[in-house]
Amino acid sequence: MTTISKKHASKSILYPPGGILMWIIIYLELITFGGVLIAMVLFSKDEPEVFQQSRLLLNTSFGTINTLLLLVSGYFMALTVSTLKAQKIQKSKLYLKLTMLGGFLFLGVKTIEYMDKIDLGLTMGYNTFFSFYWMLTLFHVIHVLVGLVILASVLRTLVKSPEKLILEDVEASATFWHMCDLIWLLLFPLIYLVF
Amino acid sequence: MKQKALLYVLMVLILLTVISAVISNLKIGNATDIIMILAALKFLVVAFYFMELRDAHIFWKLLLIGCLTIFTGLTIII
């Protein structure tokens, strides 16, 4: 029987779930995105009408669907880790594929949204709101792409040689994927709902 | 964490997302505050349940809650 190995005990300050390095990255990312989002709110005070009119040009349905896709994908990621801990390799493969499917669907919806905006001429230079919109959402998309590459690498190991898989590595990958959720949960209300 | 519990967590997250979207379409005075508080709540649910932060050392929990409180507070105050 194939078993997945685990190196460290949790509850230690040095070993948060996913590893200390991943959490340092998460805090740096949150500070970066948080800082830009706060700057966006500050700029909106100078041009309230521009931000309000521009926000109405966005399709809230796209944003809501993408939020739901990332949440469902995060749910399957949590299931992947949970089933791996229980040594249920086949189930974890299925859940990991579903996690990645959620990521690909997110990118699909985002592509449709981007094409729509480009067709309408709402590009990065259109106004301040759309400068922030493109900068923040594209930066987030890059994170999702990186997350998918990491998950693909985990899936490859899980399929080809599951005995080589280390649980901490999967937890770190899962933590990165959930970070994409966290960032989106901050972007979604401020870009699509608030102004 | 048990799979059923994770499913309940997902359902709560979906419900909060739908509530946020509905509130944004209502013309109420405190909509921004409510939406940001709901977003912060979702953020914490994902961190504590999906990312298993509830099993981590209290330092990591307080650090995340602190960062989120500062961010949410600033967006509401500004």
Side-chain angles (χ1 to χ4, degrees):
Chain A
M1 188 187 150
T2 308
T3 56
I4 309 297
S5 59
K6 184 174 171 69
K7 285 177 185 168
H8 306 294
S10 55
K11 276 283 180 191
S12 159
I13 193 167
L14 295 176
Y15 299 106
I20 193 164
L21 275 177
M22 191 51 72
W23 278 95
I24 290 170
I25 291 171
I26 288 175
Y27 286 111
L28 289 174
E29 294 280 355
L30 290 177
I31 289 167
T32 308
F33 273 96
V36 179
L37 283 169
I38 288 168
M40 185 182 183
V41 176
L42 283 170
F43 272 88
S44 76
K45 298 296 164 191
D46 290 337
E47 305 173 63
E49 281 191 12
V50 169
F51 273 69
Q52 193 181 11
Q53 296 301 320
S54 301
R55 200 277 283 181
L56 293 174
L57 294 172
L58 295 181
N59 190 333
T60 310
S61 304
F62 281 140
T64 308
I65 290 167
N66 266 343
T67 306
L68 296 176
L69 283 172
L70 278 188
L71 289 175
V72 173
S73 177
Y75 163 71
F76 283 120
M77 190 72 247
L79 283 181
T80 306
V81 175
S82 169
T83 47
L84 263 183
K85 282 179 180 171
Q87 306 290 341
K88 293 175 183 168
I89 308 286
Q90 291 306 318
K91 269 194 174 180
S92 62
K93 277 183 208 168
L94 172 68
Y95 291 142
L96 188 55
K97 285 174 188 169
L98 289 170
T99 304
M100 292 178 69
L101 177 66
F104 283 119
L105 289 174
F106 174 89
L107 291 178
V109 173
K110 210 84 204 100
T111 305
I112 295 168
E113 189 184 357
Y114 281 160
M115 297 301 281
D116 185 41
K117 296 290 160 286
I118 290 167
D119 285 346
L120 293 170
L122 304 172
T123 52
M124 196 174 261
Y126 184 73
N127 62 23
T128 317
F129 176 87
F130 278 100
S131 297
F132 277 107
Y133 165 82
W134 282 99
M135 184 170 56
L136 287 163
T137 58
L138 273 176
F139 196 32
H140 178 262
V141 162
I142 292 168
H143 284 75
V144 174
L145 284 169
V146 172
L148 281 171
V149 171
I150 293 170
L151 295 186
S153 143
V154 172
L155 182 64
R156 187 172 177 272
T157 312
L158 198 56
V159 170
K160 290 199 168 179
S161 47
E163 70 283 352
K164 287 183 183 170
L165 206 62
I166 295 167
L167 192 57
E168 275 88 349
D169 293 346
V170 183
E171 282 181 336
S173 311
T175 305
F176 186 91
W177 189 249
H178 291 306
M179 182 187 75
C180 298
D181 272 17
L182 291 186
I183 294 169
W184 183 256
L185 289 177
L186 299 180
L187 295 189
F188 170 63
L190 278 173
I191 292 177
Y192 290 87
L193 304 179
V194 165
F195 298 113
Chain B
M1 193 173 180
K2 288 186 177 166
Q3 295 189 8
K4 210 170 191 178
L6 285 172
L7 185 62
Y8 291 142
V9 170
L10 176 68
M11 281 157 57
V12 168
L13 288 168
I14 290 173
L15 186 67
L16 291 175
T17 304
V18 173
I19 291 172
S20 300
V22 170
I23 288 174
S24 76
N25 290 318
L26 299 175
K27 302 290 176 197
I28 54 172
N30 299 350
T32 302
D33 301 357
I34 298 169
I35 289 167
M36 288 315 296
I37 289 166
L38 288 176
L41 202 60
K42 283 193 288 179
F43 184 99
L44 287 178
V45 171
V46 168
F48 276 75
Y49 290 93
F50 285 176
M51 298 172 94
E52 299 183 334
L53 195 68
R54 71 192 184 288
D55 294 331
H57 191 276
I58 191 156
F59 168 78
W60 298 104
K61 296 175 191 174
L62 291 178
L63 196 59
L64 194 77
I65 293 170
C67 284
L68 185 64
T69 306
I70 291 169
F71 173 78
T72 312
L74 280 175
T75 50
I76 290 174
I77 291 165
I78 295 169

